[in-house]
Amino acid sequence: MDRFVSIVGDPHIGVFTRVFDDIAVVPPDAPDDLTARYEEALKVEVVRTTIQRSPIIGSLLAGNNHGLIITGMAGRDEIDILSEYRDLMLLEEGMNAAGNIILANDHFAAVHPDMDEELMDALGDFLKVPVIPLTLGGVKTVGMAAVATDTGVVVNPRSTPAEIQALEQICDLPVGKGTVSMGNAMVGTGLVANRYGYLAGVGTSGYELGRIEDILGFEEE
């Protein structure tokens, strides 16, 4: 299967879309050929919406199979659409670009290290996972510095041994370094994945795909 996709030529599919095990949330004008690829490769239902009237879904949405986290500035219609699939938690103030500041799966959530401890506790209760503040390669926007599924975590190649060890201890999953699009260290900007499959932004090399497959537990095709 061809694993390379783009959004109108843009390889940053992780900025514009967010994938879970059952749904892929995409902008309303996402091309039909792209959504068909998501349905085939990831075995998901496609949900079309904006968040805060913006198409950068991946930057504004985070969560797991227990719930979704979005900015409190989302519109009522946007909230109604997403609430059909999960309970929602709204980030009402401060840091609210959920997809940038939260890396989550059903095992853990890692968050921007400057996040308030009270909010971290609330996130953990809502997502039903332990939460840790973390950087990856010194990057505080952990939601774009990595991609986490329930089978593995692909992280920024500059992640330190201490950062990787912190992840391994909290999630007990394979954690490995990877890149997309010929060396882009912000792997979350150009990779979407769930337990069923993955897609990478155009320009990603065969070697990079091999690393992703190895870490996330997919056999090469």
Side-chain angles (χ1 to χ4, degrees):
M1 178 185 294
D2 182 1
R3 296 289 180 179
F4 306 111
V5 294
S6 68
I7 297 182
V8 195
D10 192 323
H12 297 106
I13 57 174
V15 173
F16 292 97
T17 68
R18 177 66 65 184
V19 167
F20 303 94
D21 284 341
D22 56 340
I23 59 173
V25 186
V26 306
D29 59 355
D32 290 341
D33 59 346
L34 174 71
T35 58
R37 296 285 304 283
Y38 275 50
E39 291 169 339
E40 178 187 12
L42 305 170
K43 304 191 180 347
V44 291
E45 176 184 349
V46 170
V47 179
R48 294 178 181 269
T49 185
T50 54
I51 297 179
Q52 198 180 329
R53 306 301 171 202
S54 172
I56 55 170
I57 306 300
S59 292
L60 299 175
L61 175 65
N64 61 15
N65 288 319
H66 299 297
L68 301 177
I69 303 170
I70 62 173
T71 171
M73 292 184 282
R76 183 70 255 175
D77 57 331
E78 297 165 338
I79 291 171
D80 288 344
I81 289 170
L82 293 174
S83 63
E84 294 182 16
Y85 299 92
R86 300 277 199 288
D87 290 337
L88 300 185
M89 178 178 178
L90 306 184
L91 299 182
E92 298 291 354
E93 57 185 46
M95 294 181 288
N96 57 28
N100 288 346
I101 63 172
I102 301 167
L103 174 71
N105 61 14
D106 287 347
H107 296 263
F108 77 97
V111 301
H112 192 294
D114 296 335
M115 183 178 288
D116 179 85
E117 186 171 344
E118 184 176 344
L119 179 54
M120 281 194 283
D121 291 341
L123 288 173
D125 290 342
F126 178 71
L127 296 176
K128 299 179 172 56
V129 294
V131 179
I132 59 169
L134 190 68
T135 59
L136 290 169
V139 175
K140 294 182 177 182
T141 50
V142 289
M144 287 297 160
V147 170
T149 73
D150 287 337
T151 58
V153 188
V154 185
V155 301
N156 182 324
R158 291 187 284 274
S159 299
T160 66
E163 290 168 339
I164 291 174
Q165 183 179 34
L167 275 182
E168 290 174 334
Q169 289 178 340
I170 199 171
C171 69
D172 194 28
L173 290 172
V175 178
K177 299 178 180 181
T179 57
V180 291
S181 301
M182 296 297 290
N184 180 359
M186 295 296 282
V187 63
T189 66
L191 173 66
V192 295
N194 62 14
R195 67 171 64 246
Y196 303 111
Y198 74 93
L199 292 167
V202 291
T204 301
S205 70
Y207 173 78
E208 289 171 319
L209 290 188
R211 285 290 300 154
I212 292 164
E213 289 169 352
D214 183 54
I215 297 163
L216 298 183
F218 297 118
E219 295 182 1
E220 294 186 22
E221 297 183 359

